[in-house]
């Protein structure tokens, strides 16, 4: 009986100015997300830059979130570690913390055959003390073919679902058709914000939606509209958020745009773990202003102060001064 | 004011045993499609193997179809020719034949910059005597970026729409959001059968759907259900056809599976222009039987005779005899 | 007994101002190439933009070249046509014209299985009146795997060699090791100018080298140095030409840079069949000047007049005037 | 003044039956490699499966190797860690251990812009206590463009060289031409065994060659032949090793084939960190036998016992028994 339904937020990880995990800010973010009605939390996703944290930091992120959430929402904890033993070590800890499931990508860096990927998940399923969600993200790690998902779902009770971030709706529909039809409790989450509503319409249980960390109001509302059968409302909101999503996707290296969005909502994400060049930082600043306008238009007043259109006393020369400021911080 | 709405069928091209264009069979297919309620005809698409025909054959295919259709449905004629002059030569002929528009892919074989692609279409738009539909199919030819489509749509009245076969719904939604919102008469057709209903739901004007040449009944019904607001009916049919689509997509080189499907509906597609090995032909035969079962299950009685489950007098040894037959034809 | 050794030039195709085949200029180019010591001619290669010509134009290009060469050098004629019948039609014509062999790419546009590619070439080999060179260029058309080449080479006398433009030296060495070792008369030509010398060193019979249409002197000399065992000379020249090659590869869409290079040697390639935007033409002009300097440095005096460094009376404001000129031609 | 010349061996990492680092076997391997004349050691390369080890294990691998080598050969230590701080932490440790340099890939998993990659390496160069070799392996991590390498080489003394595993010789020649020509002490190592000799011929300082862990004799001899100007000897050996390399590359997921090769030379690599399916293990066993034959043919007597051809008392039924054994270990 699955608790993984609705909108799961793959949170960003805030850092202090000297690059440590900012636990205070992380707790603030978690509270805010829960207040906004997010259905579940999803630490150590790609948005959480799990590959840029140490093993110990990944464990700590989940500890902090589990402590702060304190049972208010289910937690899907990312556990894509270096090898089976490390995954299981993390899994045991996340089970102890009361998480509902772990999410594991196909192996990354090396190319690995579909057969080996299947065997890898069978081994995990055999030993894991907690449910496993297959995390398919072929942009970054080895694809988990639908046929492999089907066999794992039918053979392994511990494999409880899939989170598909491939942006490939035909693939997702085949997953629903070939897997969920055979095992109705198999959770199918879409990991692509642009097609949340179409995926729900076709049978998705919910989504892991990075922009729900920036505009939880709109994303939660799409899900609620859908449950109420208000498809026009869903469609309207789905299109309304596209421009912001596009802005966040092009703003620096992923997930910098999403971290900038979180900043516009009043939090302090702090410096990035993946440094950018001065020129890229200046570009990001311009995108950030554009995002501020969109957010202000959506009624998020806290963003208005960063929006030059909404804060009319500033003028175009300020853009240059911002660029200059950014450049100066780099000697 | 656009006539390009609903389901357009990108027909296969039937050949005679000695490899000529089989005009008699093509006329039979066109009539059948129109009787089944197809909204428009789409010769010289990828399903029509336009790159495997000669220039003269491509012109002839449209002539035959225009003659047989005789105004019963609009024609979107594929005109992706070797260079601008050849495209315009074909366009003039298709205009004379009464076609509604031509469809043109981005240049293929060579990689071409987005700027050059835009300039190429501007040149075509300036000179074409007939409306142009941009045909985006990045699997086979240079992608036409959404931003390029937007500029062309806003600047060039002759560019009347896009047919997107990229299988990329996020991209299609961005097209609707950035282009159709600015120019409502811009036709947006989805070219991916697995997501016909989701695309309609989000605002597509229709689709160019290869499987509508095999199961026009189901594809037309999805469109009709959608117009009537019967979304459950759409969803049910969309899932129902997935298995057949998958079978057709894996059956030999594209579009062999679709040609096999047309054969199961009682037509003679004849030999392929792209030869396959004996082993591949034997595999195709097995897929064809599987397709026959699916089609017979869908109530298409003419397919039942090719379905071993439905035609119980045959048995498994027949498979071997078929394989042997196929092998024999190759000495 | 193979005539396909040494440097084959895949010529560009010159056009008149109104876009026709410029036969007069083509004859001039052929004569010049033969005077410079090119070992063979290779019409209808990618540099010859075969996909942008009509079938009739492709035949005509070979006719003109065969007539002008008049037996002075072997001709490898590109014959990658729309289907087997068209390839054979072209092959028969090229055989009548006295060409040594045809060159055929794997099928393009559609993805085709390795098995079907093999079968396709077996059919061609069975029927062709002239030797066939397999043209592997996976950037633009379906790859012909080494294993397929091996089987074709061992089974089909008509398959006389391979021209590999994949830029993949490990692949080329495997071809030499698995195919040429079994059939020593199998011609192995490298189609990548940056690695001509390393490929010769490892056993290539020669190369089809696009830059031999621009700097035949240097390319022929690399081959001659190699035959004489002057490896330091080869290495020196190989590095010397790299900057020019890079400039030609980035100058507009391929093969515009090579067409610009031919112009700098005193010929009139005429307007491109693939139009470029005004901005791209202005950029191309700047690259062309840079190429002129390199060519002038190499002692090709005819290029000096286009080189601002070598022609000191001009100054930087001329660049702007050139850009303005280019812009003006586009209204 | 660079110590990074000649053949560096990216060692495999042996594990105990229960999956721990097998330090005893690792020491044996290091000694054997040094006895065979390997010029340098390269722990934590891709062959060393660095992404499948924990941070602590990676440090330990270098400690063991540094201790065992005890100054007999320079050590290039892989230090591609999760973020800048972790890289620097590892770098400090490796410097203390007396390593010559660290090797760092472009960031992996996430796509990162070329500008950010450049900035990332500038930051590392500014802070690292030890020389840095840029490790370009675009198959697995973000490509480091030649232009970025050029700027880093000219600006940052700490960036001491590049190891290029892209299999792309044109790219490597451009690196030599654009970078090494400007900064002659910049080390250029080729990371692709199929083209070791061509790369040396064109100016490589050496190579990081995975098969030098399996056939150090042949790889070292290629380098020695080259230094002596015996190019025919180089060429002969380069072709001689191709079949073995191909066998190792297709044997299971990389680097399983190389681990199997090490086993055939008398070491115990132990179980893989990336599990394979029973069917894959059976296939690997067949490849292993084939490799044994090749190694026995090369005079490596210790491999002969695993070679069915060389050990004639065994027969084909043994293959089945091996497969059965393998299957049994998986219940």
């Amino acid at each position: 009986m699955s608790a993984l339904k609705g909108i799961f937020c793959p949170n960003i990880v805030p850092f202090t100015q000297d690059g440590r995990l900012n636990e205070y800010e992380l707790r603030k973010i978690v509270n805010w997300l829960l207040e906004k009605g997010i259905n579940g939390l999803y630490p150590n996703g790609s948005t959480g830059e799990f590959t840029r944290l140490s093993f110990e930091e990944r464990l700590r992120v989940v500890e902090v979130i589990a402590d702060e959430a304190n049972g208010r929402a289910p937690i899907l904890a990312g556990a894509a570690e270096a090898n089976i033993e490390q995954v299981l070590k993390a899994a045991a800890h996340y089970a102890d913390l009361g998480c509902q499931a772990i999410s594991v990508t196909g192996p990354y860096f090396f190319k690995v055959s579909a057969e080996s990927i299947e065997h890898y998940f069978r081994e995990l399923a055999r030993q894991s003390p907690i449910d496993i969600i297959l995390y398919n993200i072929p942009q970054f790690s080895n694809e988990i073919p639908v046929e492999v998902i089907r066999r794992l779902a039918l053979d392994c009770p511990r494999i409880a679902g899939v989170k598909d971030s491939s942006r490939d709706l035909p693939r997702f529909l085949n997953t629903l058709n070939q897997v969920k039809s055979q095992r109705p409790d198999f959770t199918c989450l879409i990991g692509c914000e642009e097609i949340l509503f179409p995926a729900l319409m076709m049978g998705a249980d919910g989504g892991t939606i990075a922009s729900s960390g920036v505009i939880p109001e709109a994303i939660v509302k799409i899900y609620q509209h859908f449950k109420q059968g208000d498809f026009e409302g869903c469609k309207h909101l789905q299109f309304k958020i596209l421009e912001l999503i596009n802005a966040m996707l092009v703003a620096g290296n992923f997930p910098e745009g999403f971290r900038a969005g979180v900043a516009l909502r009043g939090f302090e994400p702090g410096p990035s773990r993946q440094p950018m060049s001065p020129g890229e930082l200046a570009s990001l600043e311009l995108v950030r202003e554009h995002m501020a306008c969109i957010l202000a238009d959506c009624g998020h007043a806290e963003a208005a102060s960063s929006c030059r259109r909404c804060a009319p006393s500033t003028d175009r020369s300020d853009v240059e001064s911002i660029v200059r400021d950014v450049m100066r911080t780099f000697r």
Side-chain angles (χ1 to χ4, degrees), chain A:
Chain A
M1 195 256 19
S2 165
L4 300 180
K5 282 202 182 316
I7 304 301
F8 277 68
C9 180
N11 60 281
I12 64 119
V13 171
F15 299 107
T16 61
Q17 283 308 315
D18 64 342
R20 309 293 88 198
L21 182 58
N22 188 336
E23 300 190 6
Y24 171 79
E25 206 68 18
L26 182 55
R27 287 176 188 273
K28 270 177 59 185
I29 290 173
V30 166
N31 273 312
W32 179 73
L33 290 172
L34 292 173
E35 280 159 22
K36 295 296 185 184
I38 284 291
N39 304 104
L41 296 161
Y42 175 29
N44 293 334
S46 298
T47 317
E49 298 176 89
F50 69 95
T51 61
R52 292 171 183 153
L53 306 188
S54 68
F55 181 71
E56 292 73 22
E57 285 176 325
R58 286 190 288 272
L59 296 185
R60 186 63 193 149
V61 164
V62 181
E63 284 167 8
V64 168
I65 288 183
D67 182 61
E68 191 67 27
N70 197 19
R72 286 181 286 169
I75 297 175
L76 169 63
E81 299 295 345
N83 54 54
I84 285 185
E85 188 187 299
Q86 298 277 97
V87 175
L88 292 173
K89 206 162 136 186
H93 191 55
Y94 300 155
D96 286 349
L97 293 170
C99 297
Q100 257 60 26
I102 56 171
S103 156
V104 183
T105 64
Y108 53 88
F109 194 79
F110 295 102
K111 303 281 172 290
V112 173
S113 73
E115 255 187 273
S116 291
I117 293 171
E118 180 172 343
H119 196 69
Y120 169 76
F121 281 114
R122 283 184 189 276
E123 276 301 296
L124 288 180
R126 202 169 56 79
Q127 299 184 55
S128 176
I130 181 174
D131 279 355
I132 298 168
I133 300 293
L134 306 170
Y135 178 0
N136 185 52
I137 184 163
Q139 302 92 313
F140 298 154
S141 62
N142 286 280
E143 182 167 12
I144 314 172
V146 174
E147 185 54 29
V148 168
I149 294 176
R150 198 181 65 82
R151 280 194 298 268
L152 291 171
L154 299 187
D155 291 355
C156 310
R158 265 297 181 222
I159 310 272
V162 66
K163 151 186 170 29
D164 196 322
S165 297
S166 65
R167 306 175 62 79
D168 180 346
L169 192 62
R171 189 195 133 99
F172 190 72
L173 299 192
N174 275 309
T175 308
L176 291 168
N177 201 42
Q178 292 171 34
V179 187
K180 200 172 177 70
S181 67
Q182 306 291 307
R183 180 178 159 187
D185 72 333
F186 194 76
T187 295
C188 291
L189 301 171
I190 191 80
C192 173
E193 31 243 300
E194 292 100 321
I195 53 174
L196 171 60
F197 166 49
L200 290 171
M201 194 75 196
M202 298 306 286
D205 294 293
T208 60
I209 305 294
S211 50
S212 74
V214 177
I215 41 166
E217 301 87 347
I219 304 297
V220 166
K221 204 170 282 172
I222 289 177
Y223 185 65
Q224 290 170 344
H225 282 333
F226 173 74
K227 298 306 272 185
Q228 296 153 3
D230 176 5
F231 301 146
E232 276 308 308
C234 289
K235 187 176 151 186
H236 173 76
L237 273 171
Q238 182 75 67
F239 278 120
K240 195 173 168 61
I241 63 176
L242 273 184
E243 191 185 355
L244 177 66
I245 292 171
N246 288 336
M248 292 195 291
L249 286 174
V250 303
N253 308 306
F254 181 85
E256 275 314 303
F258 292 84
R259 290 169 53 84
V262 170
L264 288 169
R265 297 307 303 272
F267 301 94
E268 307 258 2
S272 175
R273 279 270 166 105
Q274 169 63 53
M276 287 188 285
S277 73
E280 289 178 311
L281 287 172
S283 295
L284 176 59
E285 188 51 39
L286 294 176
V287 178
R288 212 177 77 97
E289 283 177 41
H290 176 59
M291 287 165 51
C293 290
I294 304 175
L295 286 168
D297 276 354
C298 293
H300 302 310
E302 67 275 29
S305 62
S306 299
C307 166
R308 265 144 229 295
R309 190 149 50 86
C310 310
S313 65
T314 63
D315 64 32
R316 212 56 205 163
S317 68
D318 288 354
V319 176
E320 285 145 45
S321 97
I322 287 166
V323 173
R324 266 198 309 278
D325 284 357
V326 171
M327 303 302 282
R328 191 159 41 225
T329 67
F330 289 86
R331 183 164 356 160

Coordinates of all heavy atoms in Angstrom, one line a residue, chain A residues 238-294:
Chain A
Q238 N -0.4 24.6 -16.3 CA 0.8 23.9 -16.9 C 1.4 24.8 -17.9 O 2.7 24.9 -18.0 CB 0.3 22.6 -17.7 CG 1.4 21.8 -18.3 CD 2.2 21.0 -17.3 OE1 1.8 20.1 -16.6 NE2 3.5 21.5 -17.2
F239 N 0.6 25.5 -18.7 CA 1.2 26.5 -19.7 C 1.8 27.7 -19.0 O 2.9 28.2 -19.3 CB 0.2 26.9 -20.7 CG 0.0 25.9 -21.8 CD1 -1.2 25.3 -22.1 CD2 1.1 25.6 -22.6 CE1 -1.3 24.4 -23.1 CE2 1.0 24.7 -23.7 CZ -0.2 24.1 -23.9
K240 N 1.1 28.1 -17.9 CA 1.6 29.3 -17.2 C 3.0 29.2 -16.6 O 3.8 30.1 -16.6 CB 0.6 29.6 -16.0 CG 0.7 31.0 -15.4 CD -0.4 31.2 -14.4 CE -0.2 32.4 -13.6 NZ -0.2 33.7 -14.3
I241 N 3.4 28.0 -16.2 CA 4.7 27.8 -15.6 C 5.8 27.5 -16.6 O 7.0 27.5 -16.2 CB 4.6 26.6 -14.5 CG1 4.3 25.3 -15.2 CG2 3.6 26.9 -13.4 CD1 4.3 24.1 -14.2
L242 N 5.4 27.3 -17.9 CA 6.5 26.9 -18.8 C 7.6 27.9 -19.0 O 8.8 27.5 -19.0 CB 5.8 26.6 -20.2 CG 5.3 25.2 -20.5 CD1 4.8 25.2 -21.9 CD2 6.3 24.2 -20.2
E243 N 7.2 29.2 -19.0 CA 8.3 30.2 -19.2 C 9.3 30.2 -18.1 O 10.5 30.3 -18.3 CB 7.6 31.6 -19.4 CG 8.6 32.6 -19.9 CD 8.0 34.0 -19.9 OE1 6.8 34.1 -19.6 OE2 8.7 35.0 -20.2
L244 N 8.7 30.1 -16.8 CA 9.6 30.1 -15.7 C 10.5 28.8 -15.7 O 11.7 28.9 -15.5 CB 8.8 30.1 -14.4 CG 9.6 30.0 -13.1 CD1 10.5 31.2 -12.9 CD2 8.7 29.8 -11.9
I245 N 9.9 27.7 -16.1 CA 10.7 26.4 -16.1 C 11.9 26.6 -17.2 O 13.0 26.3 -16.9 CB 9.8 25.3 -16.5 CG1 8.9 25.0 -15.4 CG2 10.7 24.0 -16.8 CD1 7.8 23.9 -15.7
N246 N 11.5 27.1 -18.3 CA 12.5 27.3 -19.4 C 13.6 28.2 -18.9 O 14.8 28.0 -19.1 CB 11.9 27.9 -20.6 CG 11.1 26.9 -21.4 OD1 11.3 25.7 -21.2 ND2 10.1 27.4 -22.1
A247 N 13.2 29.3 -18.2 CA 14.3 30.2 -17.6 C 15.2 29.5 -16.6 O 16.4 29.7 -16.7 CB 13.6 31.4 -17.0
M248 N 14.6 28.7 -15.8 CA 15.4 28.0 -14.8 C 16.3 27.0 -15.4 O 17.4 26.7 -15.0 CB 14.5 27.4 -13.7 CG 13.8 28.4 -12.9 SD 13.1 27.8 -11.3 CE 11.7 26.8 -12.0
L249 N 15.8 26.4 -16.5 CA 16.6 25.3 -17.2 C 17.8 25.9 -17.9 O 18.8 25.2 -18.1 CB 15.8 24.5 -18.1 CG 14.8 23.5 -17.5 CD1 13.9 22.9 -18.5 CD2 15.5 22.4 -16.7
V250 N 17.7 27.1 -18.4 CA 18.9 27.7 -19.1 C 19.8 28.5 -18.2 O 20.8 29.0 -18.7 CB 18.4 28.6 -20.3 CG1 17.6 27.8 -21.3 CG2 17.7 29.8 -19.9
A251 N 19.4 28.7 -17.0 CA 20.1 29.6 -16.1 C 21.3 28.9 -15.5 O 21.2 28.3 -14.5 CB 19.2 30.2 -15.0
G252 N 22.5 29.0 -16.2 CA 23.7 28.3 -15.7 C 23.5 26.8 -15.7 O 22.6 26.3 -16.3
N253 N 24.5 26.1 -15.1 CA 24.4 24.6 -15.1 C 23.3 24.2 -14.2 O 23.1 24.8 -13.1 CB 25.7 24.1 -14.5 CG 26.9 24.6 -15.3 OD1 27.0 24.6 -16.5 ND2 27.9 25.2 -14.5
F254 N 22.5 23.2 -14.6 CA 21.5 22.6 -13.7 C 22.2 22.2 -12.4 O 23.3 21.7 -12.4 CB 20.9 21.4 -14.3 CG 19.8 20.8 -13.5 CD1 18.5 21.2 -13.5 CD2 20.2 19.7 -12.6 CE1 17.6 20.6 -12.7 CE2 19.2 19.1 -11.8 CZ 17.9 19.6 -11.9
P255 N 21.6 22.5 -11.2 CA 20.3 23.1 -10.9 C 20.4 24.6 -10.5 O 19.6 25.0 -9.7 CB 19.8 22.3 -9.8 CG 21.1 22.0 -9.0 CD 22.2 21.9 -10.0
E256 N 21.4 25.3 -11.1 CA 21.6 26.7 -10.6 C 20.3 27.6 -10.8 O 20.0 28.4 -9.9 CB 22.7 27.4 -11.4 CG 24.1 27.1 -10.8 CD 24.1 27.3 -9.3 OE1 23.7 28.4 -8.8 OE2 24.5 26.3 -8.6
G257 N 19.6 27.4 -11.9 CA 18.3 28.1 -12.1 C 17.3 27.9 -11.0 O 16.6 28.8 -10.5
F258 N 17.3 26.6 -10.6 CA 16.3 26.3 -9.5 C 16.8 26.9 -8.2 O 16.0 27.3 -7.3 CB 16.1 24.8 -9.4 CG 15.4 24.2 -10.7 CD1 16.1 23.9 -11.8 CD2 14.0 24.1 -10.7 CE1 15.5 23.5 -13.0 CE2 13.4 23.7 -11.8 CZ 14.1 23.4 -13.0
R259 N 18.1 26.9 -7.9 CA 18.6 27.5 -6.7 C 18.4 29.0 -6.7 O 18.0 29.6 -5.7 CB 20.1 27.2 -6.6 CG 20.4 25.7 -6.3 CD 21.9 25.3 -6.4 NE 22.7 26.2 -5.7 CZ 23.0 26.0 -4.4 NH1 22.5 25.0 -3.7 NH2 23.8 26.9 -3.8
A260 N 18.5 29.6 -7.9 CA 18.2 31.0 -8.0 C 16.7 31.3 -7.7 O 16.3 32.3 -7.1 CB 18.5 31.6 -9.4
G261 N 15.8 30.4 -8.2 CA 14.4 30.5 -7.9 C 14.1 30.4 -6.5 O 13.3 31.2 -5.9
V262 N 14.8 29.5 -5.8 CA 14.5 29.4 -4.3 C 15.0 30.6 -3.6 O 14.3 31.1 -2.7 CB 15.3 28.1 -3.8 CG1 15.3 28.1 -2.3 CG2 14.7 26.8 -4.3
A263 N 16.1 31.2 -4.1 CA 16.5 32.5 -3.5 C 15.5 33.6 -3.7 O 15.2 34.4 -2.8 CB 17.9 32.9 -4.2
L264 N 14.8 33.6 -4.8 CA 13.8 34.6 -5.1 C 12.6 34.5 -4.2 O 11.8 35.4 -4.0 CB 13.4 34.6 -6.5 CG 14.4 35.1 -7.5 CD1 14.0 34.8 -9.0 CD2 14.6 36.6 -7.4
R265 N 12.4 33.3 -3.6 CA 11.3 33.0 -2.7 C 11.7 33.4 -1.3 O 11.0 33.1 -0.3 CB 10.8 31.6 -2.8 CG 10.2 31.2 -4.2 CD 9.1 32.2 -4.6 NE 8.0 32.4 -3.7 CZ 6.9 31.6 -3.7 NH1 6.8 30.6 -4.6 NH2 5.9 31.8 -2.9
G266 N 12.9 33.9 -1.1 CA 13.3 34.4 0.2 C 14.3 33.5 1.0 O 14.5 33.7 2.2
F267 N 14.9 32.5 0.4 CA 15.8 31.7 1.1 C 17.3 32.0 0.6 O 17.5 32.7 -0.4 CB 15.5 30.2 0.9 CG 14.1 29.9 1.3 CD1 13.0 29.9 0.5 CD2 13.9 29.6 2.7 CE1 11.7 29.6 0.9 CE2 12.6 29.3 3.1 CZ 11.5 29.3 2.2
E268 N 18.2 31.4 1.3 CA 19.6 31.6 1.0 C 20.3 30.3 0.5 O 20.8 29.6 1.4 CB 20.4 32.1 2.3 CG 19.7 33.3 2.9 CD 20.5 34.6 2.6 OE1 21.4 34.6 1.8 OE2 20.0 35.7 3.1
P269 N 20.3 30.1 -0.7 CA 20.9 28.8 -1.2 C 22.4 28.8 -1.0 O 23.0 27.8 -0.9 CB 20.5 28.7 -2.7 CG 20.0 30.0 -3.1 CD 19.6 30.8 -1.9
G270 N 23.0 30.0 -1.0 CA 24.4 30.1 -0.8 C 25.2 29.7 -2.1 O 24.6 29.5 -3.1
P271 N 26.5 29.7 -2.0 CA 27.3 29.5 -3.2 C 27.2 28.1 -3.8 O 26.9 27.1 -3.0 CB 28.8 29.7 -2.7 CG 28.7 29.5 -1.3 CD 27.3 29.9 -0.8
S272 N 27.4 28.0 -5.1 CA 27.2 26.7 -5.7 C 28.4 25.8 -5.5 O 29.5 26.3 -5.3 CB 27.1 26.9 -7.2 OG 27.0 25.7 -7.9
R273 N 28.2 24.5 -5.5 CA 29.3 23.5 -5.4 C 30.0 23.4 -6.7 O 31.1 22.9 -6.8 CB 28.8 22.2 -5.0 CG 28.5 22.0 -3.5 CD 29.8 21.5 -2.8 NE 29.7 21.7 -1.3 CZ 29.5 20.7 -0.5 NH1 29.3 19.4 -0.9 NH2 29.5 20.9 0.8
Q274 N 29.4 23.8 -7.8 CA 30.0 23.7 -9.1 C 30.2 25.2 -9.6 O 29.3 25.9 -9.9 CB 29.1 23.0 -10.1 CG 29.6 23.1 -11.6 CD 30.9 22.5 -11.8 OE1 31.2 21.3 -11.5 NE2 31.9 23.3 -12.4
P275 N 31.5 25.7 -9.5 CA 31.7 27.1 -9.7 C 31.4 27.5 -11.2 O 31.5 26.6 -12.1 CB 33.2 27.3 -9.5 CG 33.8 25.9 -9.6 CD 32.8 25.0 -9.2
M276 N 31.0 28.7 -11.4 CA 30.7 29.2 -12.8 C 31.7 30.4 -13.0 O 32.2 31.0 -12.1 CB 29.3 29.7 -12.9 CG 28.3 28.5 -12.9 SD 26.6 29.1 -13.3 CE 26.2 29.8 -11.7
S277 N 31.9 30.7 -14.3 CA 32.8 31.8 -14.7 C 32.1 33.1 -14.4 O 30.9 33.2 -14.2 CB 33.1 31.7 -16.2 OG 31.9 32.1 -16.9
P278 N 32.9 34.2 -14.3 CA 32.3 35.5 -14.0 C 31.2 35.8 -15.1 O 30.1 36.3 -14.8 CB 33.5 36.4 -14.1 CG 34.6 35.6 -13.7 CD 34.3 34.2 -14.2
G279 N 31.5 35.5 -16.3 CA 30.5 35.8 -17.4 C 29.3 35.0 -17.2 O 28.2 35.6 -17.4
E280 N 29.4 33.8 -16.8 CA 28.2 33.0 -16.6 C 27.4 33.6 -15.4 O 26.1 33.5 -15.4 CB 28.5 31.6 -16.3 CG 29.0 30.9 -17.6 CD 29.5 29.4 -17.3 OE1 30.2 29.2 -16.3 OE2 29.0 28.5 -18.1
L281 N 28.1 34.0 -14.4 CA 27.3 34.6 -13.2 C 26.6 35.8 -13.6 O 25.5 36.1 -13.1 CB 28.3 34.9 -12.1 CG 28.9 33.6 -11.4 CD1 30.0 34.0 -10.4 CD2 27.8 32.9 -10.6
A282 N 27.2 36.6 -14.5 CA 26.5 37.9 -14.9 C 25.2 37.5 -15.7 O 24.2 38.1 -15.5 CB 27.4 38.7 -15.7
S283 N 25.4 36.5 -16.6 CA 24.2 36.0 -17.3 C 23.1 35.5 -16.4 O 21.9 35.8 -16.6 CB 24.6 34.9 -18.3 OG 25.4 35.3 -19.3
L284 N 23.5 34.7 -15.4 CA 22.6 34.2 -14.5 C 21.8 35.3 -13.8 O 20.6 35.2 -13.6 CB 23.3 33.3 -13.4 CG 22.5 32.7 -12.3 CD1 21.4 31.8 -12.8 CD2 23.4 31.9 -11.3
E285 N 22.5 36.4 -13.5 CA 21.8 37.5 -12.8 C 20.7 38.1 -13.7 O 19.6 38.4 -13.2 CB 22.9 38.6 -12.5 CG 22.3 39.7 -11.7 CD 21.7 39.2 -10.4 OE1 22.2 38.3 -9.8 OE2 20.6 39.8 -10.0
L286 N 21.0 38.1 -15.0 CA 19.9 38.7 -15.9 C 18.7 37.7 -15.9 O 17.5 38.1 -15.9 CB 20.5 38.9 -17.3 CG 21.5 40.0 -17.3 CD1 22.1 40.1 -18.7 CD2 21.0 41.3 -16.9
V287 N 19.0 36.4 -16.0 CA 17.9 35.4 -15.9 C 17.1 35.5 -14.6 O 15.9 35.5 -14.6 CB 18.4 34.0 -16.2 CG1 17.3 33.0 -16.1 CG2 19.2 33.9 -17.5
R288 N 17.9 35.8 -13.6 CA 17.2 35.8 -12.2 C 16.2 37.0 -12.2 O 15.1 36.9 -11.6 CB 18.3 36.1 -11.2 CG 18.1 35.4 -9.8 CD 19.2 35.7 -8.9 NE 19.2 37.0 -8.4 CZ 18.7 37.4 -7.2 NH1 18.2 36.4 -6.4 NH2 18.7 38.6 -6.8
E289 N 16.6 38.1 -12.8 CA 15.7 39.2 -12.8 C 14.4 38.9 -13.6 O 13.3 39.2 -13.2 CB 16.3 40.4 -13.5 CG 17.3 41.1 -12.6 CD 18.0 42.3 -13.4 OE1 17.3 43.0 -14.1 OE2 19.2 42.4 -13.2
H290 N 14.6 38.2 -14.7 CA 13.5 37.8 -15.5 C 12.6 36.8 -14.7 O 11.4 37.0 -14.7 CB 14.0 37.1 -16.8 CG 12.9 36.5 -17.7 ND1 11.9 37.3 -18.2 CD2 12.7 35.3 -18.1 CE1 11.1 36.6 -18.9 NE2 11.6 35.3 -18.9
M291 N 13.2 35.9 -14.0 CA 12.4 35.0 -13.2 C 11.7 35.8 -12.1 O 10.5 35.4 -11.8 CB 13.4 34.0 -12.5 CG 13.9 32.9 -13.5 SD 15.3 32.0 -12.8 CE 14.7 31.5 -11.2
A292 N 12.3 36.8 -11.6 CA 11.7 37.6 -10.5 C 10.4 38.2 -11.1 O 9.3 38.2 -10.4 CB 12.6 38.7 -10.0
C293 N 10.4 38.7 -12.3 CA 9.2 39.3 -12.9 C 8.1 38.3 -13.0 O 7.0 38.5 -12.7 CB 9.6 39.8 -14.3 SG 10.6 41.3 -14.3
I294 N 8.5 37.1 -13.5 CA 7.5 36.0 -13.7 C 6.9 35.7 -12.3 O 5.7 35.6 -12.2 CB 8.1 34.8 -14.3 CG1 8.8 35.1 -15.6 CG2 7.0 33.7 -14.5 CD1 9.5 33.9 -16.3

